[in-house]
Amino acid sequence: MAGRGKGRTVVINNREVHLRPEKYYWSDFFMALPAVLLLILITYYPVAELIRISFTDWRLTSRTYEYVGLKNWIWLFTSKTSTKYLLNSAQVTFVYTFFNIAIDLGIGLLLAHLFNRMTKPYAAMRALIFMPRYIAMSTCGIIFLWMFNTDYGVINRMLEWVGVTEHINWLGEGNLALTSILILTGWHGVGYCMMIYLSALLGISRDYYEASSLDGATGWQQFRFITMPLLSPTSLFLFITTFISSMKVYQSVDVMTGGGPRQQTEVMVYYIYRLAFDDNRIDRASVVALLFFVVLLIITASTIRITNKNVHYES
């Protein structure tokens, strides 16, 4: 083998072949260029525009705006009204996220164990549980809005059958309204977690359980020391994806409660929407959106860094 120019020469079947891999560099770049441009257009450009708008006094009712520096950021952290609504929406968002993760992952894992049978009846039941995933959240919200109606909702009608004659105002009281939203999102998302956990369970070798049975391990011990460690990569994946989707919840809140009653179900994304389209303050909405983006990024990165140390990846 001998070098010549920027390429190299190799001998193949007693023939010298000169290779010039550098001529493919630009062709590879141009093939990836459309995807890079699309990523810049739909991801990085909106973020850059959001940062720019946060330094203006842009209102949706006005065609002109001026740059005001850090005025919007000062408003966010010094105004009593903004601080009150910001802390309230953050609290509601984190409470909702905590319980939604617990519902989706906990019930999803339980259902995965329950339906871990490769028979047609179990396959039909898995399909029924997973089916809500195919329905749009806005459509589900309308259905549950009717079910939780105080006067003629199905839930209160069913409670009348067991002796509860007083109609419960599910969507008119803060804790009950948030619980109703959690029931909706749990019903919509638990089937997805079940199927992901089920696929992971099917990938665990039965040799572990047979060997532990010979050593006298109980079912709980097998679940604790075999199943849970081997499911830790799947649990981490579902935790991160469910956490991000829960923090960004909007449609179910918009359809069922509109952030009410008295902002007790106003999550962070709905607060940003209200600032932008109800108050017409797109400048202030961009500031809150940037703060929310940074907080979400930090929490997600920290969670991955911390939990990765306790995740067991089977070779």
Side-chain angles (χ1 to χ4, degrees):
M1 182 183 301
R4 188 176 71 188
K6 293 184 179 180
R8 61 177 181 172
T9 302
V10 298
V11 178
I12 301 177
N13 294 331
N14 297 323
R15 296 179 57 186
E16 289 189 355
V17 179
H18 183 62
L19 302 179
R20 296 182 60 193
E22 69 279 358
K23 71 178 182 178
Y24 299 108
Y25 291 167
W26 286 108
S27 61
D28 294 342
F29 172 76
F30 284 118
M31 282 189 286
L33 187 60
V36 174
L37 292 177
L38 186 62
L39 183 65
I40 293 173
L41 180 64
I42 66 176
T43 302
Y44 296 109
Y45 173 71
V47 173
E49 276 293 291
L50 196 67
I51 296 173
R52 185 184 67 85
I53 294 171
S54 68
F55 296 107
T56 68
D57 62 349
W58 187 8
R59 292 169 172 80
L60 288 181
T61 55
S62 176
R63 294 185 178 182
T64 61
Y65 59 86
E66 296 179 355
Y67 288 94
V68 294
L70 298 176
K71 182 178 179 180
N72 293 318
W73 292 95
I74 296 173
W75 163 84
L76 180 63
F77 294 108
T78 58
S79 173
K80 293 183 179 180
T81 304
S82 65
T83 305
K84 173 185 175 182
Y85 286 122
L86 178 65
L87 293 178
N88 174 74
S89 60
Q91 179 183 357
V92 173
T93 303
F94 280 108
V95 170
Y96 168 85
T97 300
F98 174 81
F99 284 104
N100 191 49
I101 291 175
I103 292 171
D104 283 2
L105 270 66
I107 299 181
L109 180 59
L110 178 64
L111 292 175
H113 275 281
L114 183 62
F115 296 136
N116 190 11
R117 304 288 189 277
M118 293 297 104
T119 59
K120 290 183 178 180
Y122 281 93
M125 288 187 288
R126 288 195 299 268
L128 288 175
I129 295 174
F130 185 74
M131 192 176 297
R133 189 73 179 182
Y134 293 108
I135 307 175
M137 180 59 75
S138 56
T139 305
C140 297
I142 295 173
I143 296 172
F144 274 76
L145 187 65
W146 166 70
M147 293 174 61
F148 284 111
N149 185 274
T150 306
D151 298 323
Y152 50 84
V154 175
I155 304 298
N156 282 336
R157 293 295 184 184
M158 294 175 63
L159 291 176
E160 289 180 357
W161 298 344
V162 295
V164 181
T165 57
E166 183 180 356
H167 288 182
I168 300 175
N169 188 7
W170 291 97
L171 303 178
E173 299 181 13
N175 293 332
L176 289 178
L178 189 61
T179 301
S180 302
I181 295 173
L182 284 168
I183 293 173
L184 163 62
T185 52
W187 173 79
H188 187 265
V190 72
Y192 172 76
C193 293
M194 177 196 70
M195 296 301 291
I196 298 297
Y197 269 129
L198 181 63
S199 63
L201 284 172
L202 295 175
I204 299 177
S205 175
R206 302 304 304 176
D207 295 340
Y208 296 117
Y209 299 101
E210 293 174 0
S212 63
S213 297
L214 294 176
D215 293 334
T218 63
W220 166 250
Q221 290 174 330
Q222 290 179 340
F223 177 78
R224 179 181 177 184
F225 297 106
I226 298 176
T227 305
M228 288 304 296
L230 294 179
L231 287 180
S232 55
T234 305
S235 298
L236 176 61
F237 166 76
L238 288 175
F239 179 85
I240 296 299
T241 54
T242 307
F243 171 79
I244 294 175
S245 62
S246 299
M247 291 289 287
K248 298 188 299 181
V249 61
Y250 170 77
Q251 285 184 320
S252 56
V253 174
D254 182 43
V255 173
M256 294 189 67
T257 64
R262 299 175 299 280
Q263 283 78 43
Q264 294 187 57
T265 60
E266 186 176 75
V267 292
M268 187 69 74
V269 176
Y270 195 86
Y271 175 50
I272 296 171
Y273 168 84
R274 184 168 63 82
L275 281 174
F277 298 104
D278 289 348
D279 299 343
N280 296 319
R281 294 303 301 264
I282 193 72
D283 51 348
R284 293 179 176 179
S286 63
V287 169
V288 179
L290 282 173
L291 177 64
F292 179 59
F293 170 74
V294 172
V295 171
L296 187 61
L297 186 65
I298 293 174
I299 294 177
T300 304
S302 302
T303 302
I304 294 176
R305 184 178 181 85
I306 294 171
T307 55
N308 255 332
K309 298 178 181 179
N310 301 317
V311 173
H312 174 77
Y313 293 99
E314 184 181 15
S315 59

